[in-house]
Amino acid sequence: MAARRSIGQRVARYREASGLSRAQLAEEVGRNADWLRSVESGRLPLDRYTMVHAIAAALDADPVDLLGRPTPVGDPRTRPAHRTVPALRRALLRAGLPLTVQEEPPPLDVLRRRVDETDRLRRHAHYGELGLLLPQLLDDLRAAADTSAGVDRDIAHHLLTEARHNAAMLTKKLGHPDLATAAAAQARQAAAVPGDPLLATAAQWLQAEVCLTVGATAEAQALIDGGLARLDGLLTDTAPGAWSLWGTLHLVGAVLEAQLGRQAESAGHLTEAATAADRVGEHPGHQTEFSAGELAIHLVHAALELGADPDVLDRITEVDLSRLPRERRARHGIDRARLFARAGDDATAVRELLAADRIAPEAVRAHPLVPELVLTAAHRSRTPGPATDAARRLAIPL
């Protein structure tokens, strides 16, 4: 298997194709030529989405191309998930076509159980199993939504919104932001039918997440602001669902502001989210996973984008993360690895990655920054060691 390119090597390739010198590109993103040389050579990891998006904009490139397109034939742990993408793409394309199946759709209680199962698989990063279930579920839910009436019609559209949410999240994690964009837009269409403002806001939050992934910060900001405005009049002592969405939107806002380098604004969002976490407790709603644990890992994630070092982890030592879904805990482990790699502690960074891999291997191996961390650690190591072993375990060709 050919060695995997680092993000820095891809940057060099795009920079040379665009005719820019290192000094010119570095100036565009507020750095110097020596820094860019270290990134392109693999001595420094390009581990901040803020910088990836800034470089992509300067090069007129898609951020996904710099992060690396999906590799469906590489890792046997993620290969089954990638193989489900064509069927899922076709299911999303069918969403606007007339129904062709004349059979009665499954009962709503059966569909509810099937949606719950996809929720579970998404939360714990069982992407291959999730991808197998979603295409037929999306078809069955669309049939139920189109053929039912009254309360049943609203329930069917609610379930369809949830399933499309899971489709958007899966395709986003697997590196297909265009499919995620389509699924999120379809989720928002379904959410508009029942007239439930919380469901509509949940769909807006989903779209904001997808926008953030591709660096569409203005669009993400508009969605966050619109969602918060809708929720403002719905926040009561007996509305945990509204508070969960309120807190979640503020967490996304905190990350967005961090990516824009606005520390005070990011901190303001985290303060609002902390207020919501006190009200919600351990009972989030609308697929948000919102809790004190979710607040803690977003605090770290936002700090990463602002250039923090590992000391930021001291701020969350008293927070219990054990109740978070496996996918969230694994992604936090990746953030921990990024912090230690930034501090030059590659051995600890590799240990954090391998610990995260034991929690949710599909989440770790689908993450675009994991290869970057391993490749940088291997490049900086003078002899084969932990980084080489990690590359072998995570199926990252050196």
Side-chain angles (χ1 to χ4, degrees):
M1 188 183 300
R4 183 183 175 98
R5 289 179 182 270
S6 69
I7 298 175
Q9 288 173 318
R10 296 189 198 99
V11 168
R13 186 178 179 185
Y14 274 83
R15 176 183 61 76
E16 291 164 359
S18 68
L20 291 177
S21 68
R22 282 199 184 101
Q24 288 172 320
L25 177 57
E27 184 179 3
E28 286 285 327
V29 297
R31 298 299 180 112
N32 58 48
D34 288 340
W35 174 85
L36 185 56
R37 182 180 294 107
S38 294
V39 166
E40 292 183 349
S41 68
R43 292 195 301 274
L44 280 179
L46 196 55
D47 69 337
R48 292 169 64 186
Y49 290 109
T50 309
M51 189 55 66
V52 171
H53 292 152
I55 291 175
L59 295 173
D60 291 326
D62 189 327
V64 177
D65 289 324
L66 298 185
L67 290 168
R69 293 283 175 178
T71 52
V73 297
D75 187 345
R77 297 297 292 267
T78 57
R79 192 181 304 144
H82 286 293
R83 285 178 172 171
T84 68
V85 170
L88 187 51
R89 178 183 292 111
R90 290 194 296 271
L92 293 172
L93 288 171
R94 286 194 294 272
L97 300 177
L99 290 172
T100 58
V101 178
Q102 302 300 320
E103 298 178 5
E104 187 81 11
L108 290 177
D109 61 335
V110 172
L111 292 172
R112 173 74 270 174
R113 289 194 294 272
R114 289 167 61 187
V115 171
D116 288 345
E117 176 63 6
T118 63
D119 282 341
R120 184 188 70 80
L121 294 172
R122 172 186 54 80
R123 295 172 73 246
H124 297 298
H126 297 305
Y127 297 152
E129 294 176 67
L130 175 59
L132 285 174
L133 294 182
L134 277 172
Q136 186 61 56
L137 177 60
L138 289 170
D139 285 344
D140 288 345
L141 285 168
R142 188 165 67 94
D146 287 355
T147 59
S148 56
V151 174
D152 285 352
R153 177 172 173 267
D154 290 347
I155 294 172
H157 278 89
H158 196 295
L159 294 174
L160 182 57
T161 302
E162 289 189 41
R164 287 173 172 172
H165 174 110
N166 290 336
M169 286 298 192
L170 174 63
T171 49
K172 181 170 82 78
K173 305 293 187 190
L174 294 179
H176 297 275
D178 291 344
L179 290 182
T181 300
Q186 291 178 15
R188 194 167 177 188
Q189 291 172 351
V193 174
D196 178 351
L198 296 186
L199 186 64
T201 305
Q204 254 182 277
W205 152 58
L206 173 64
Q207 280 194 308
E209 289 269 16
V210 175
C211 287
L212 208 57
T213 299
V214 297
T217 53
E219 293 81 357
Q221 185 70 71
L223 289 161
I224 292 167
D225 290 345
L228 291 173
R230 179 186 285 118
L231 289 172
D232 198 37
L234 302 175
L235 299 172
T236 66
D237 291 338
T238 58
W243 282 108
S244 293
L245 287 168
W246 174 267
T248 297
L249 284 168
H250 277 295
L251 292 181
V252 179
V255 173
L256 184 152
E257 296 292 356
Q259 289 188 358
L260 295 174
R262 300 198 289 236
Q263 184 172 4
E265 290 82 353
S266 180
H269 279 295
L270 290 171
T271 298
E272 293 286 355
T275 299
D278 289 339
R279 291 179 173 272
V280 171
E282 299 298 330
H283 303 286
H286 293 278
Q287 298 177 291
T288 65
E289 315 297 349
F290 184 71
S291 64
E294 191 75 359
L295 170 63
I297 64 176
H298 274 78
L299 183 153
V300 171
H301 190 72
L304 259 171
E305 293 299 324
L306 288 165
D309 60 30
D311 289 345
V312 70
L313 296 174
D314 294 339
R315 297 176 61 185
I316 66 166
T317 53
E318 301 301 319
V319 181
D320 180 13
L321 304 181
S322 64
R323 294 187 180 184
L324 289 174
R326 286 179 175 270
E327 188 272 340
R328 302 303 301 142
R329 285 185 280 140
R331 289 180 70 84
H332 176 61
I334 295 168
D335 281 351
R336 293 174 64 91
R338 292 167 62 193
L339 285 167
F340 287 111
R342 180 177 298 168
D345 188 353
D346 290 329
T348 302
V350 166
R351 285 197 296 272
E352 292 285 354
L353 286 180
L354 294 180
D357 187 65
R358 288 190 291 272
I359 295 171
E362 290 186 71
V364 171
R365 297 164 193 233
H367 197 291
L369 294 183
V370 168
E372 181 76 356
L373 296 172
V374 174
L375 291 171
T376 300
H379 182 90
R380 295 195 293 211
S381 177
R382 296 183 178 180
T383 60
T388 304
D389 294 339
R392 187 180 305 112
R393 173 170 163 177
L394 299 176
I396 300 169
L398 297 178

